Amino acid sequence: MTQFLPPNLLALFAPRDPIPYLPPLEKLPHEKHHNQPYCGIAPYIREFEDPRDAPPPTRAETREERMERKRREKIERRQQEVETELKMWDPHNDPNAQGDAFKTLFVARVNYDTTESKLRREFEVYGPIKRIHMVYSKRSGKPRGYAFIEYEHERDMHSAYKHADGKKIDGRRVLVDVERGRTVKGWRPRRLGGGLGGTRRGGADVNIRHSGRDDTSRYDERDRDRDRERERRERSRERDKERERRRSRSRDRRRRSRSRDKEERRRSRERSKDKDRERKRRSSRSRERARRERERKEELRGGGGGGGGDMAEPSEAGDAPPDDGPPGELGPDGPDGPEEKGRDRDRERRRSHRSERERRRDRDRDRDREHKRGERGSERGRDEARGGGGGGQDNGLEGLGNDGRDMYMESEGGDGYLAPENGYLMEAAPE
């Protein structure tokens, strides 16, 4: 396949010439034989220089020391410049200081956007103005923030000096003072270390916060008032916080009290419900007991009526029935006697577990029921007697017709009896 490639490509796959062998110039480090073994630096101690002849060590300057040194150098340079300019400063020969110095008013802290016409409108209210000189920067040409206003009359300058200090112009309160450069002996401007303000004297422990024409005591008093106001606000905030904490604690107490009251009401409702359930249970038990008593008495009366008229008279008179009665009769020795006795024993056992007050209440209730039941039985007997004698009431037998009456009359002969509750004809007990 390679025989079809051109010569220039075959030259790329051609092997290079072998590298010629050259003997090493010297032996390798591990092949060398050392005549002297390795040793320490003790033999070379004498070659060191004497410590007494060594130069003192140089101490490097720290960052704080370098900054302090630069600051001192800057202060010294500035002092030299101030001394040089102070020797050359002469306000009386200044070409920019023109007009009468005693009629000139100095206005500082002026807004940089305030124009000369705006200053003229604001200060013409005190008197006619002769000239306004606004100071601009020589390098940038922008206003420096102060100006000199020369009035035509000295009294107008005094009026502006008295009333215009602190006046707000374009959102800034200006400072008004007399021209002190030509009127006060020994006066120096701020750039030469003078001026009224003490905001540029040194550090924070030397400088004052305010500067102006008046004594700084009023500013100190203002600072004290401001500090007192700040302390008063802090105390008020603390009182508000304490009041809020007390309110929150009171709300928590009321919430807990409401929770306790709600829980107590819930428990009271549960107790009342339990009492109602217990009362209903007792009432149901008493009704069940009264029903069983009524059924037992009805059974006793029904058994006595099925035996004939001769057996009914002793039962009404209170005499005990004979021992040799029929086996179907529900007497004390009948087939249902042990069951009735068991129910009575259970009833007595349950009643013994109650309190004396409940037993007394149950006895009174049973007595009332027995009394009412006796009255109803007596009324029913009178009604039956009147029905048999042709009275207005016939115990519900009017709808039965003559056949029903005959059946009822036959039942009185011993074949059956009529139940007083519903008027149905019941069969007599088998003999």
Side-chain angles (χ1 to χ4, degrees):
M1 186 70 184
T2 56
Q3 65 271 17
F4 300 104
L5 295 177
N8 56 350
L9 295 181
L10 290 174
L12 296 177
F13 296 97
R16 296 180 181 179
D17 296 334
I19 299 175
Y21 173 78
L22 297 177
L25 299 178
E26 59 182 7
K27 294 182 179 181
L28 296 176
H30 65 277
E31 296 177 351
K32 293 180 179 180
H33 297 284
H34 299 282
N35 297 327
Q36 293 182 353
Y38 291 108
C39 63
I41 62 171
Y44 304 97
I45 291 298
R46 61 178 181 271
E47 302 295 336
F48 294 161
E49 63 180 354
D50 192 358
R52 291 172 295 182
D53 299 338
T58 58
R59 182 177 176 274
E61 186 179 20
T62 62
R63 181 174 178 271
E64 290 77 10
E65 293 175 350
R66 183 172 62 256
M67 293 177 63
E68 183 67 21
R69 176 178 56 80
K70 290 182 178 180
R71 190 180 67 84
R72 287 197 303 268
E73 293 176 356
K74 183 177 180 180
I75 292 174
E76 292 175 357
R77 288 196 305 268
R78 181 57 187 166
Q79 288 179 354
Q80 293 177 3
E81 293 175 0
V82 167
E83 291 176 358
T84 304
E85 293 180 1
L86 193 58
K87 292 177 181 178
M88 298 174 59
W89 184 68
D90 187 7
H92 297 281
N93 298 327
D94 189 1
N96 295 325
Q98 300 176 4
D100 189 358
F102 293 95
K103 297 180 182 179
T104 304
L105 187 71
F106 171 73
V107 183
R109 300 176 187 173
V110 181
N111 195 331
Y112 296 124
D113 298 331
T114 304
T115 60
E116 184 177 341
S117 59
K118 178 70 173 178
L119 281 179
R120 185 178 293 274
R121 286 196 303 270
E122 293 291 339
F123 284 91
E124 271 184 345
V125 296
Y126 306 105
I129 296 175
K130 184 178 181 181
R131 185 180 67 91
I132 294 180
H133 175 65
M134 297 189 68
V135 181
Y136 294 90
S137 176
K138 294 180 181 180
R139 292 180 294 180
S140 61
K142 296 181 180 180
R144 297 286 301 276
Y146 62 96
F148 294 91
I149 302 176
E150 183 181 358
Y151 283 90
E152 293 184 359
H153 306 285
E154 188 174 350
R155 63 177 180 274
D156 298 336
M157 189 274 296
H158 286 293
S159 178
Y161 174 81
K162 184 177 181 181
H163 299 96
D165 187 30
K167 189 175 185 179
K168 183 176 286 188
I169 301 175
D170 290 339
R172 293 192 65 179
R173 296 190 181 275
V174 298
L175 183 142
V176 176
D177 196 9
V178 298
E179 184 186 347
R180 296 177 180 267
R182 292 182 294 173
T183 57
V184 179
K185 185 178 180 180
W187 173 261
R188 292 184 298 174
R190 172 65 65 85
R191 60 187 176 86
L192 298 180
L196 288 178
T199 58
R200 302 182 185 178
R201 293 176 182 175
D205 55 341
V206 180
N207 294 340
I208 61 176
R209 297 179 58 184
H210 304 281
S211 63
R213 71 180 192 188
D214 296 337
D215 188 9
T216 58
S217 61
R218 69 168 184 169
Y219 297 107
D220 297 339
E221 184 68 24
R222 191 178 303 171
D223 292 340
R224 287 194 293 271
D225 294 342
R226 189 180 295 107
D227 294 338
R228 285 195 293 269
E229 181 68 20
R230 188 184 301 109
E231 292 176 359
R232 187 186 64 80
R233 286 197 299 268
E234 291 178 357
R235 288 195 299 270
S236 178
R237 283 195 293 268
E238 290 295 333
R239 287 195 296 270
D240 293 341
K241 291 180 181 179
E242 182 64 26
R243 192 179 301 112
E244 184 64 26
R245 284 195 291 269
R246 288 198 298 269
R247 288 177 181 174
S248 64
R249 288 196 294 268
S250 178
R251 284 195 296 269
D252 294 339
R253 286 195 296 270
R254 288 197 297 271
R255 191 181 300 110
R256 289 194 295 269
S257 178
R258 285 196 296 268
S259 301
R260 287 194 296 269
D261 295 342
K262 189 182 296 182
E263 183 67 20
E264 185 64 27
R265 287 195 297 270
R266 187 183 63 80
R267 292 176 180 175
S268 178
R269 286 195 298 269
E270 291 180 356
R271 286 194 295 269
S272 63
K273 290 180 181 178
D274 295 339
K275 289 181 181 179
D276 293 340
R277 285 195 293 268
E278 183 65 24
R279 192 179 301 111
K280 290 180 181 178
R281 195 179 299 113
R282 289 199 301 269
S283 178
S284 64
R285 285 200 297 267
S286 63
R287 284 196 298 270
E288 182 68 21
R289 188 170 57 253
R291 187 181 63 81
R292 286 197 295 267
E293 285 287 336
R294 188 167 57 252
E295 290 177 355
R296 187 173 63 82
K297 291 181 180 180
E298 291 296 337
E299 290 175 358
L300 291 176
R301 279 203 298 270
D310 296 337
M311 296 298 295
E313 291 179 358
S315 63
E316 291 178 358
D319 297 335
D323 295 338
D324 53 354
E329 185 178 356
L330 299 177
D333 296 334
D336 295 336
E339 183 178 357
E340 290 293 334
K341 290 181 180 180
R343 283 200 295 269
D344 293 339
R345 280 196 301 271
D346 295 339
R347 189 180 303 112
E348 291 297 332
R349 188 182 301 108
R350 286 195 301 270
R351 188 175 296 176
S352 63
H353 291 293
R354 300 177 185 176
S355 61
E356 184 65 26
R357 185 176 59 185
E358 292 180 354
R359 289 199 296 271
R360 190 183 303 112
R361 187 167 57 247
D362 292 340
R363 286 196 299 271
D364 296 340
R365 191 183 298 113
D366 295 341
R367 191 182 301 110
D368 294 340
R369 287 201 185 99
E370 291 293 338
H371 180 67
K372 291 179 181 179
R373 192 178 295 111
E375 290 180 354
R376 284 197 297 270
S378 62
E379 291 178 359
R380 190 180 298 111
R382 287 194 298 270
D383 292 340
E384 291 177 358
R386 283 197 297 271
Q393 295 182 359
D394 56 356
N395 286 333
L397 299 178
E398 292 179 357
L400 298 176
N402 297 326
D403 298 335
R405 288 190 181 92
D406 296 337
M407 183 169 53
Y408 175 70
M409 296 301 291
E410 291 176 359
S411 65
E412 290 181 354
D415 295 336
Y417 68 96
L418 188 68
E421 288 84 6
N422 47 21
Y424 290 118
L425 185 64
M426 305 299 291
E427 294 181 358
E431 295 181 0

